[in-house]
PDB file of all heavy atoms in Angstrom:
ATOM      1  N   CYS U 346       1.250  24.672  45.965  1.00 97.00           N
ATOM      2  CA  CYS U 346       0.297  23.555  45.926  1.00 97.00           C
ATOM      3  C   CYS U 346      -0.159  23.328  47.356  1.00 97.00           C
ATOM      4  O   CYS U 346       0.688  22.981  48.183  1.00 97.00           O
ATOM      5  CB  CYS U 346       0.926  22.252  45.411  1.00 97.00           C
ATOM      6  SG  CYS U 346       1.660  22.434  43.714  1.00 97.00           S
ATOM      7  N   ASP U 347      -1.439  23.471  47.643  1.00 97.00           N
ATOM      8  CA  ASP U 347      -1.879  23.259  49.009  1.00 97.00           C
ATOM      9  C   ASP U 347      -2.137  21.693  49.238  1.00 97.00           C
ATOM     10  O   ASP U 347      -1.868  20.918  48.344  1.00 97.00           O
ATOM     11  CB  ASP U 347      -3.191  24.048  49.283  1.00 97.00           C
ATOM     12  CG  ASP U 347      -4.334  23.610  48.361  1.00 97.00           C
ATOM     13  OD1 ASP U 347      -4.233  22.602  47.714  1.00 97.00           O
ATOM     14  OD2 ASP U 347      -5.337  24.395  48.354  1.00 97.00           O
ATOM     15  N   ALA U 348      -2.561  21.394  50.431  1.00 98.00           N
ATOM     16  CA  ALA U 348      -2.656  19.948  50.806  1.00 98.00           C
ATOM     17  C   ALA U 348      -3.668  19.246  49.916  1.00 98.00           C
ATOM     18  O   ALA U 348      -3.465  18.058  49.520  1.00 98.00           O
ATOM     19  CB  ALA U 348      -3.080  19.868  52.284  1.00 98.00           C
ATOM     20  N   PHE U 349      -4.755  19.931  49.533  1.00 98.00           N
ATOM     21  CA  PHE U 349      -5.743  19.307  48.616  1.00 98.00           C
ATOM     22  C   PHE U 349      -5.090  18.919  47.330  1.00 98.00           C
ATOM     23  O   PHE U 349      -5.266  17.795  46.796  1.00 98.00           O
ATOM     24  CB  PHE U 349      -6.881  20.347  48.463  1.00 98.00           C
ATOM     25  CG  PHE U 349      -7.963  19.857  47.486  1.00 98.00           C
ATOM     26  CD1 PHE U 349      -8.929  19.023  47.913  1.00 98.00           C
ATOM     27  CD2 PHE U 349      -7.916  20.294  46.149  1.00 98.00           C
ATOM     28  CE1 PHE U 349      -9.915  18.585  47.012  1.00 98.00           C
ATOM     29  CE2 PHE U 349      -8.871  19.901  45.289  1.00 98.00           C
ATOM     30  CZ  PHE U 349      -9.908  19.075  45.687  1.00 98.00           C
ATOM     31  N   ALA U 350      -4.362  19.892  46.741  1.00 98.00           N
ATOM     32  CA  ALA U 350      -3.653  19.636  45.491  1.00 98.00           C
ATOM     33  C   ALA U 350      -2.569  18.527  45.593  1.00 98.00           C
ATOM     34  O   ALA U 350      -2.530  17.596  44.789  1.00 98.00           O
ATOM     35  CB  ALA U 350      -2.984  20.899  44.984  1.00 98.00           C
ATOM     36  N   ARG U 351      -1.832  18.615  46.696  1.00 98.00           N
ATOM     37  CA  ARG U 351      -0.720  17.622  46.903  1.00 98.00           C
ATOM     38  C   ARG U 351      -1.299  16.190  46.885  1.00 98.00           C
ATOM     39  O   ARG U 351      -0.699  15.294  46.254  1.00 98.00           O
ATOM     40  CB  ARG U 351      -0.145  17.978  48.225  1.00 98.00           C
ATOM     41  CG  ARG U 351       1.272  17.679  48.600  1.00 98.00           C
ATOM     42  CD  ARG U 351       2.332  18.229  47.714  1.00 98.00           C
ATOM     43  NE  ARG U 351       2.893  17.190  46.912  1.00 98.00           N
ATOM     44  CZ  ARG U 351       3.685  17.337  45.860  1.00 98.00           C
ATOM     45  NH1 ARG U 351       3.861  18.558  45.391  1.00 98.00           N
ATOM     46  NH2 ARG U 351       4.151  16.362  45.198  1.00 98.00           N
ATOM     47  N   GLU U 352      -2.346  15.975  47.589  1.00 98.00           N
ATOM     48  CA  GLU U 352      -2.960  14.590  47.762  1.00 98.00           C
ATOM     49  C   GLU U 352      -3.334  14.124  46.357  1.00 98.00           C
ATOM     50  O   GLU U 352      -3.046  12.976  45.995  1.00 98.00           O
ATOM     51  CB  GLU U 352      -4.172  14.721  48.651  1.00 98.00           C
ATOM     52  CG  GLU U 352      -4.707  13.415  49.172  1.00 98.00           C
ATOM     53  CD  GLU U 352      -5.932  13.620  49.971  1.00 98.00           C
ATOM     54  OE1 GLU U 352      -5.984  14.512  50.832  1.00 98.00           O
ATOM     55  OE2 GLU U 352      -6.964  12.912  49.704  1.00 98.00           O
ATOM     56  N   ARG U 353      -3.944  15.037  45.547  1.00 98.00           N
ATOM     57  CA  ARG U 353      -4.319  14.583  44.231  1.00 98.00           C
ATOM     58  C   ARG U 353      -3.185  14.325  43.295  1.00 98.00           C
ATOM     59  O   ARG U 353      -3.140  13.423  42.447  1.00 98.00           O
ATOM     60  CB  ARG U 353      -5.369  15.569  43.646  1.00 98.00           C
ATOM     61  CG  ARG U 353      -6.763  15.250  44.075  1.00 98.00           C
ATOM     62  CD  ARG U 353      -7.674  16.363  44.261  1.00 98.00           C
ATOM     63  NE  ARG U 353      -8.870  15.876  45.086  1.00 98.00           N
ATOM     64  CZ  ARG U 353      -8.817  15.743  46.456  1.00 98.00           C
ATOM     65  NH1 ARG U 353      -7.706  16.083  47.121  1.00 98.00           N
ATOM     66  NH2 ARG U 353      -9.804  15.235  47.085  1.00 98.00           N
ATOM     67  N   MET U 354      -2.182  15.186  43.413  1.00 98.00           N
ATOM     68  CA  MET U 354      -1.012  15.108  42.539  1.00 98.00           C
ATOM     69  C   MET U 354      -0.330  13.784  42.853  1.00 98.00           C
ATOM     70  O   MET U 354       0.220  13.111  41.994  1.00 98.00           O
ATOM     71  CB  MET U 354      -0.072  16.318  42.757  1.00 98.00           C
ATOM     72  CG  MET U 354      -0.639  17.574  42.182  1.00 98.00           C
ATOM     73  SD  MET U 354       0.173  19.044  42.781  1.00 98.00           S
ATOM     74  CE  MET U 354       1.764  18.825  41.999  1.00 98.00           C
ATOM     75  N   GLU U 355      -0.300  13.401  44.107  1.00 98.00           N
ATOM     76  CA  GLU U 355       0.396  12.176  44.510  1.00 98.00           C
ATOM     77  C   GLU U 355      -0.386  10.940  44.107  1.00 98.00           C
ATOM     78  O   GLU U 355       0.194   9.886  43.706  1.00 98.00           O
ATOM     79  CB  GLU U 355       0.740  12.180  46.000  1.00 98.00           C
ATOM     80  CG  GLU U 355       1.908  13.015  46.283  1.00 98.00           C
ATOM     81  CD  GLU U 355       2.108  13.401  47.767  1.00 98.00           C
ATOM     82  OE1 GLU U 355       1.524  12.740  48.620  1.00 98.00           O
ATOM     83  OE2 GLU U 355       2.874  14.372  48.031  1.00 98.00           O
ATOM     84  N   ALA U 356      -1.726  11.025  44.151  1.00 98.00           N
ATOM     85  CA  ALA U 356      -2.553   9.914  43.791  1.00 98.00           C
ATOM     86  C   ALA U 356      -2.379   9.559  42.262  1.00 98.00           C
ATOM     87  O   ALA U 356      -2.214   8.364  41.849  1.00 98.00           O
ATOM     88  CB  ALA U 356      -3.987  10.151  44.070  1.00 98.00           C
ATOM     89  N   THR U 357      -2.339  10.570  41.451  1.00 98.00           N
ATOM     90  CA  THR U 357      -2.186  10.334  40.011  1.00 98.00           C
ATOM     91  C   THR U 357      -0.755   9.874  39.678  1.00 98.00           C
ATOM     92  O   THR U 357      -0.531   9.046  38.815  1.00 98.00           O
ATOM     93  CB  THR U 357      -2.698  11.562  39.186  1.00 98.00           C
ATOM     94  OG1 THR U 357      -2.782  11.184  37.781  1.00 98.00           O
ATOM     95  CG2 THR U 357      -1.836  12.770  39.345  1.00 98.00           C
ATOM     96  N   ASP U 358       0.196  10.404  40.485  1.00 98.00           N
ATOM     97  CA  ASP U 358       1.597   9.885  40.327  1.00 98.00           C
ATOM     98  C   ASP U 358       1.729   8.434  40.683  1.00 98.00           C
ATOM     99  O   ASP U 358       2.370   7.617  39.970  1.00 98.00           O
ATOM    100  CB  ASP U 358       2.500  10.748  41.259  1.00 98.00           C
ATOM    101  CG  ASP U 358       3.955  10.497  41.052  1.00 98.00           C
ATOM    102  OD1 ASP U 358       4.323  10.170  39.858  1.00 98.00           O
ATOM    103  OD2 ASP U 358       4.738  10.600  42.048  1.00 98.00           O
ATOM    104  N   ALA U 359       1.021   8.038  41.785  1.00 98.00           N
ATOM    105  CA  ALA U 359       1.108   6.622  42.230  1.00 98.00           C
ATOM    106  C   ALA U 359       0.486   5.735  41.089  1.00 98.00           C
ATOM    107  O   ALA U 359       1.059   4.676  40.792  1.00 98.00           O
ATOM    108  CB  ALA U 359       0.286   6.445  43.469  1.00 98.00           C
ATOM    109  N   GLU U 360      -0.548   6.167  40.442  1.00 97.00           N
ATOM    110  CA  GLU U 360      -1.119   5.350  39.348  1.00 97.00           C
ATOM    111  C   GLU U 360      -0.136   5.226  38.196  1.00 97.00           C
ATOM    112  O   GLU U 360      -0.026   4.092  37.686  1.00 97.00           O
ATOM    113  CB  GLU U 360      -2.439   6.013  38.852  1.00 97.00           C
ATOM    114  CG  GLU U 360      -3.118   5.207  37.771  1.00 97.00           C
ATOM    115  CD  GLU U 360      -4.352   5.833  37.174  1.00 97.00           C
ATOM    116  OE1 GLU U 360      -4.199   6.994  36.777  1.00 97.00           O
ATOM    117  OE2 GLU U 360      -5.427   5.249  37.166  1.00 97.00           O
ATOM    118  N   LEU U 361       0.512   6.331  37.881  1.00 98.00           N
ATOM    119  CA  LEU U 361       1.481   6.254  36.746  1.00 98.00           C
ATOM    120  C   LEU U 361       2.616   5.289  37.092  1.00 98.00           C
ATOM    121  O   LEU U 361       3.110   4.521  36.219  1.00 98.00           O
ATOM    122  CB  LEU U 361       2.043   7.644  36.484  1.00 98.00           C
ATOM    123  CG  LEU U 361       1.151   8.477  35.691  1.00 98.00           C
ATOM    124  CD1 LEU U 361       1.696   9.949  35.660  1.00 98.00           C
ATOM    125  CD2 LEU U 361       1.032   7.999  34.214  1.00 98.00           C
ATOM    126  N   ARG U 362       3.047   5.278  38.319  1.00 98.00           N
ATOM    127  CA  ARG U 362       4.183   4.419  38.761  1.00 98.00           C
ATOM    128  C   ARG U 362       3.731   2.948  38.737  1.00 98.00           C
ATOM    129  O   ARG U 362       4.476   2.062  38.371  1.00 98.00           O
ATOM    130  CB  ARG U 362       4.793   4.840  40.053  1.00 98.00           C
ATOM    131  CG  ARG U 362       5.667   6.047  39.842  1.00 98.00           C
ATOM    132  CD  ARG U 362       6.132   6.759  41.057  1.00 98.00           C
ATOM    133  NE  ARG U 362       6.344   8.187  40.688  1.00 98.00           N
ATOM    134  CZ  ARG U 362       7.380   8.654  40.058  1.00 98.00           C
ATOM    135  NH1 ARG U 362       8.451   7.911  39.817  1.00 98.00           N
ATOM    136  NH2 ARG U 362       7.443   9.989  39.761  1.00 98.00           N
ATOM    137  N   GLU U 363       2.460   2.711  39.065  1.00 96.00           N
ATOM    138  CA  GLU U 363       1.905   1.361  38.981  1.00 96.00           C
ATOM    139  C   GLU U 363       1.799   0.907  37.551  1.00 96.00           C
ATOM    140  O   GLU U 363       2.180  -0.203  37.248  1.00 96.00           O
ATOM    141  CB  GLU U 363       0.558   1.411  39.680  1.00 96.00           C
ATOM    142  CG  GLU U 363      -0.039   0.054  40.026  1.00 96.00           C
ATOM    143  CD  GLU U 363      -1.467   0.208  40.524  1.00 96.00           C
ATOM    144  OE1 GLU U 363      -1.632   1.032  41.469  1.00 96.00           O
ATOM    145  OE2 GLU U 363      -2.333  -0.349  39.959  1.00 96.00           O
ATOM    146  N   GLU U 364       1.375   1.813  36.662  1.00 96.00           N
ATOM    147  CA  GLU U 364       1.340   1.429  35.214  1.00 96.00           C
ATOM    148  C   GLU U 364       2.711   1.096  34.718  1.00 96.00           C
ATOM    149  O   GLU U 364       2.976   0.152  34.017  1.00 96.00           O
ATOM    150  CB  GLU U 364       0.793   2.612  34.368  1.00 96.00           C
ATOM    151  CG  GLU U 364      -0.688   2.791  34.474  1.00 96.00           C
ATOM    152  CD  GLU U 364      -1.233   3.890  33.546  1.00 96.00           C
ATOM    153  OE1 GLU U 364      -0.449   4.332  32.647  1.00 96.00           O
ATOM    154  OE2 GLU U 364      -2.353   4.320  33.715  1.00 96.00           O
TER     155      GLU U 364
END
Side-chain angles (χ1 to χ4, degrees):
C346 303
D347 63 12
F349 176 82
R351 208 57 252 161
E352 193 183 315
R353 273 148 195 81
M354 287 164 73
E355 281 167 18
T357 190
D358 188 31
E360 182 185 53
L361 280 170
R362 283 169 209 278
E363 197 185 303
E364 283 185 13

